[in-house]
Amino acid sequence: MAAVTRLIPGRTVLFVCDIQTRFRTFVHGFDHVVATGTKMFKLAKVLDLPVIVTEQNPRALGSTVPELNTAPLGDLFLGAYEKTVFSMAIPPVIEQLKKHDFKSVILFGIESHVCVLQSALDLLEQGYDVHVLADGVSSTRKEEVPIAIERMRRAGAQITTSESAAFELQVDANKPNFKFFSRIIKEEGDNTTKALEGLVTSYSKL
């Protein structure tokens, strides 16, 4: 029987890949990617899920969009790292993974066929479990996305959704935080549906 790859509460980190201001006008479904991100930030606080952000050449491509405000995360925010290589698996980020003994990475952002893909491949190669949010990745050309997702899947990444990943980390409805968790899931219901319809559904039809 093949080994089952699951998200591990307490050993999972959220990776936010290059969701920057200059991409807003030309990445397919950009607002849906941002909406998934804001939901994951809210859930991160409830789930005690650490967050790492990267920015690709921010002098040219701008900073992370203001909707993804890391201030409310407090100590859960482990830093924003500038990079010129496409992968998020740069030395200071890998240092954070080792320092906190993370095993699982939840990955979302842009572009699916460049920075997200190369991040997933590098992390898998280094022995981390990678869970890609299908309702949180996109590219300038939407036709690139299903190809990138399929390549990541074949390489060993788990393709999931934001809500599925969140429930996997929550584990139990009897936990004290479930009231707050379920409230966020309900409040974000419309945005979740729109992201699934605008991103995942459109890719599946290609």
Side-chain angles (χ1 to χ4, degrees), residues 37-143:
T38 57
K39 176 178 67 178
M40 291 304 296
F41 275 27
K42 293 177 184 178
L43 289 166
K45 290 184 64 178
V46 173
L47 295 168
D48 288 326
L49 175 64
V51 176
I52 290 176
V53 175
T54 59
E55 296 176 340
Q56 178 71 21
N57 190 13
R59 293 173 184 80
L61 298 174
S63 57
T64 301
V65 295
E67 295 96 318
L68 298 179
N69 180 15
T70 58
L73 295 171
D75 292 340
L76 290 171
F77 178 53
L78 301 183
Y81 300 89
E82 296 184 11
K83 62 186 180 68
T84 56
V85 297
F86 299 121
S87 174
M88 292 183 72
I90 56 177
V93 170
I94 297 301
E95 287 176 13
Q96 288 286 352
L97 294 180
K98 293 178 178 178
K99 176 182 177 181
H100 295 277
D101 194 27
F102 292 128
K103 174 62 175 172
S104 307
V105 174
I106 299 174
L107 175 62
F108 76 102
I110 54 181
E111 290 188 69
S112 64
H113 65 298
V114 185
C115 297
V116 174
L117 172 64
Q118 293 189 35
S119 299
L121 296 178
D122 283 348
L123 290 165
L124 288 165
E125 195 171 48
Q126 296 190 45
Y128 296 99
D129 298 332
V130 178
H131 301 251
V132 180
L133 301 185
D135 57 338
V137 296
S138 193
S139 292
T140 302
R141 290 176 292 276
K142 66 180 181 180
E143 292 82 5

Side-chain angles (χ1 to χ4, degrees), residues 129-170:
D129 298 332
V130 178
H131 301 251
V132 180
L133 301 185
D135 57 338
V137 296
S138 193
S139 292
T140 302
R141 290 176 292 276
K142 66 180 181 180
E143 292 82 5
E144 294 278 8
V145 182
I147 299 169
I149 286 178
E150 180 59 19
R151 185 175 177 196
M152 288 185 279
R153 187 199 311 273
R154 288 178 178 271
Q158 308 301 306
I159 310 303
T160 187
T161 64
S162 56
E163 188 165 304
S164 179
F167 271 95
E168 192 170 349
L169 289 173
Q170 176 62 31

Side-chain angles (χ1 to χ4, degrees), residues 6-43:
R6 307 191 63 165
L7 290 169
I8 306 170
R11 296 190 66 191
T12 297
V13 60
L14 181 66
F15 270 29
V16 184
C17 186
D18 307 348
I19 306 179
Q20 295 161 248
T21 54
R22 286 290 297 277
F23 290 116
R24 189 185 295 274
T25 57
F26 56 85
V27 165
H28 170 73
F30 186 86
D31 289 343
H32 297 315
V33 175
V34 173
T36 295
T38 57
K39 176 178 67 178
M40 291 304 296
F41 275 27
K42 293 177 184 178
L43 289 166

